[in-house]
Amino acid sequence: MTIEHTIRAGLTTEQLAEEVAHVSTPDRLSTPFGEFEFFDGVPKPESVQPIFDGLDLVRGITAFLDTVPGASLVAMRRGLRAAGVDSPDKIGYTDPRCTSTPIFLTPNTETTYGLTFLDLKTWGPTVIEVPPQSLCVVDDFWFRYVADMGIAGPDQGAGGSYLFLPPGYDGERPDGYHTYESPTFTNFVVIRALGGVAAIKQSRIYRLGDAEAAPENTFVNIGEQSFNTVHSNDFSFFEEIAELVAEEPTDALDPERAGALASLGIAHARPFAPDERLRGILDDAARTGAAMARANLYAARNADSFRWEGSSWKNGFVGGSYEFLNDGARNLDARTLFHYAATVITPAMAHAQVGAGSAYIYTAEDSEGAPLDGAATYSLTIPANPPAKNFWSIDIYDTQTRSLLQSAEYPAVSSLTGDLQVEADGSYVLWFAPTVPAGKESNWIPTLPGKSWWPLLRLYGPLETWFDLSWQLPEFVRARP
């Protein structure tokens, strides 16, 4: 049997030359990292080191943007330790509310927080008893969701006992607990209770082995202490990440992020000791990454970031996924944006429902697109019937630290106060200025000359007009002389 086939003509000389051009590198290449020279595709000796410096810078910037969540919790733990919350049986709380004194990422001034860290490496299996009608969350050390406790958890607000197990645990799993195994030894615990401080003090944290006679917990009031929980924006950012990587199992982080860190000398069971060259590059990488994170936060380019078309008001939680996933792809900008500005991750934050949960929007500019200036006077109108079943509030933050602006103990206004001036049409006109406009004391939040600031609107129990977008917040209006 004869098999016939046709031999087709290959590429023409011109087509082949075009294909070779696509796969080749020119002898002189101009890049953002400088001019690189090659001999027929081989880097010349004098270009090799600058090329690798560029690679390290790219890896460093990528590592900064992608590991902000972990660095945030390293800084949080360091700050809480400085405030006296240095073991799992010590719970920091804000009595009665958080003030502008400590450096925290965007806390609110309306609810009471309880905070601590689990240490499953030292303590082993650990029990948390949460109070009734509480909203509590546990996140791992890379700031990934582990469990809800309380109203959003399996106890549904009745109060319950939760057991947290270290990674790789193969011991006893007793009945009577809602049990979770964390991928990291260190875990961040946030306790919020509708009953305030008294309810938070009903919380219990103890070793499983002490369940029969658990010792009392120590509660430390951190609301007015001065300490910092925000990660660095310079070389020391990578020292924060190296601390985390050294403590946790090698499989606690996904291979891609772990690989980027390893290429920079940050790996488990390896001392992080960059030479002067790499140290300088990583300092540049952190500062450049921080610049990108700030642009992403304050001047977002993703259309999904904006609450209403043509508005500057933005969503802090872009995409509706607590894992920042969209069609199987990670929304990297959304993850960096959220963790650069906020703390605590839980599905409950991404899926507010009518009358339940909370909703958040923010901006950093006025009606003319200019950054908000602490020396200027602005007004903001809250239209009638704000869509909040429980209450609404606006807190303002320092654009550098993303913490409460230190212009007042509580730089905020809230519908809970009961003394806000109401306009004839049911709206509220709020004022933001370094000095109070005449007769506007109850509707005023002080600002600081020489500093920018940004506001965050919270709606507790958002209503239907929030979800159908029919209620819309206008822009800040700058008063002109």
Side-chain angles (χ1 to χ4, degrees):
M1 179 179 181
T2 301
I3 298 176
E4 296 183 2
H5 65 279
T6 302
I7 299 176
R8 298 182 178 178
L11 299 174
T12 65
T13 301
E14 291 78 9
Q15 290 171 329
L16 181 59
E18 184 177 351
E19 292 298 318
V20 170
H22 286 312
V23 302
S24 299
T25 295
D27 287 346
R28 181 177 292 274
L29 184 64
S30 179
T31 79
F33 310 106
E35 295 284 332
F36 299 152
E37 293 188 5
F38 299 82
F39 172 67
D40 200 24
V42 179
K44 289 187 175 180
E46 61 270 24
S47 290
V48 170
Q49 190 58 55
I51 290 172
F52 283 133
D53 289 347
L55 176 59
D56 289 339
L57 180 60
V58 169
R59 292 263 171 81
I61 294 170
T62 299
F64 179 95
L65 295 171
D66 289 350
T67 63
V68 160
S72 184
L73 280 189
V74 172
M76 176 68 75
R77 185 179 66 174
R78 182 182 63 236
L80 289 181
R81 285 175 170 174
V85 184
D86 53 9
S87 67
D89 58 349
K90 296 181 181 179
I91 300 172
Y93 68 99
T94 56
D95 184 9
R97 299 169 289 155
C98 189
T99 71
S100 62
T101 301
I103 305 300
F104 271 110
L105 289 177
T106 57
N108 72 62
T109 60
E110 289 73 46
T111 58
T112 303
Y113 295 97
L115 303 171
T116 193
F117 279 87
L118 302 185
D119 182 355
L120 301 177
K121 180 179 287 186
T122 302
W123 274 36
T126 299
V127 176
I128 302 178
E129 295 180 9
V130 299
Q133 294 302 297
S134 61
L135 293 162
C136 310
V137 181
V138 174
D139 292 326
D140 78 3
F141 210 16
W142 281 107
F143 233 140
R144 297 169 300 204
Y145 170 72
V146 175
D148 279 300
M149 305 178 293
I151 293 171
D155 69 273
Q156 298 181 327
S161 297
Y162 291 76
L163 176 61
F164 293 90
L165 305 174
Y169 180 78
D170 60 0
E172 181 184 5
R173 297 172 184 250
D175 296 331
Y177 301 96
H178 304 291
T179 301
Y180 297 86
E181 182 175 334
S182 173
T184 61
F185 292 109
T186 295
N187 291 263
F188 182 44
V189 181
V190 178
I191 302 170
R192 291 180 295 168
L194 301 184
V197 172
I200 284 179
K201 288 187 175 182
Q202 297 176 28
S203 306
R204 303 290 302 283
I205 300 177
Y206 52 86
R207 294 174 175 87
L208 176 62
D210 292 335
E212 294 299 320
E216 293 294 321
N217 288 121
T218 299
F219 292 87
V220 180
N221 186 8
I222 62 174
E224 297 180 359
Q225 289 197 51
S226 179
F227 57 97
N228 173 40
T229 69
V230 178
H231 66 79
S232 300
N233 280 195
D234 56 18
F235 168 77
S236 52
F237 174 94
F238 293 99
E239 294 178 312
E240 293 167 342
I241 289 297
E243 179 180 341
L244 193 169
V245 170
E247 292 182 18
E248 298 297 346
T250 55
D251 59 356
L253 186 63
D254 59 273
E256 293 300 320
R257 285 193 289 180
L261 292 172
S263 73
L264 302 172
I266 300 174
H268 187 75
R270 184 196 305 175
F272 177 50
D275 60 18
E276 185 176 354
R277 178 198 71 87
L278 183 55
R279 187 184 182 95
I281 288 172
L282 292 182
D283 188 63
D284 289 341
R287 295 178 188 278
T288 303
M292 294 172 177
R294 290 177 183 278
N296 191 36
L297 173 63
Y298 298 128
R301 63 178 179 176
N302 185 339
D304 292 339
S305 291
F306 296 91
R307 177 65 187 172
W308 301 281
E309 185 176 354
S311 171
S312 75
W313 288 95
K314 304 169 188 67
N315 301 302
F317 214 114
V318 180
S321 166
Y322 73 94
E323 296 178 297
F324 308 101
L325 292 174
N326 182 14
D327 292 332
R330 189 86 61 196
N331 188 331
L332 300 177
D333 286 348
R335 182 176 64 188
T336 300
L337 185 158
F338 180 85
H339 286 289
Y340 199 73
T343 56
V344 188
I345 201 76
T346 165
M349 296 180 70
H351 300 292
Q353 298 177 352
V354 175
S358 51
Y360 313 82
I361 54 172
Y362 72 95
T363 187
E365 59 195 76
D366 64 19
S367 60
E368 300 174 2
L372 296 167
D373 182 350
T377 296
Y378 299 88
S379 64
L380 174 69
T381 299
I382 307 295
N385 302 312
K389 177 182 176 181
N390 300 318
F391 68 95
W392 59 266
S393 67
I394 286 187
D395 296 78
I396 66 171
Y397 299 95
D398 185 316
T399 49
Q400 286 284 15
T401 66
R402 291 89 72 206
S403 303
L404 288 165
L405 187 70
Q406 294 181 330
S407 59
E409 186 176 27
Y410 302 112
V413 294
S414 167
S415 61
L416 286 176
T417 61
D419 62 354
L420 291 179
Q421 294 179 12
V422 185
E423 302 299 307
D425 63 356
S427 65
Y428 303 84
V429 178
L430 307 182
W431 294 89
F432 305 77
T435 57
V436 59
K440 305 299 181 183
E441 288 82 359
S442 64
N443 290 37
W444 168 63
I445 302 178
T447 58
L448 294 173
K451 287 201 65 62
S452 187
W453 56 275
W454 59 293
L456 199 157
L457 170 72
R458 292 176 170 90
L459 303 172
Y460 293 89
L463 299 175
E464 185 62 40
T465 54
W466 172 258
F467 293 96
D468 67 17
L469 303 181
S470 59
W471 185 88
Q472 182 169 338
L473 198 59
E475 303 294 315
F476 278 84
V477 177
R478 181 170 181 165
R480 298 296 181 184

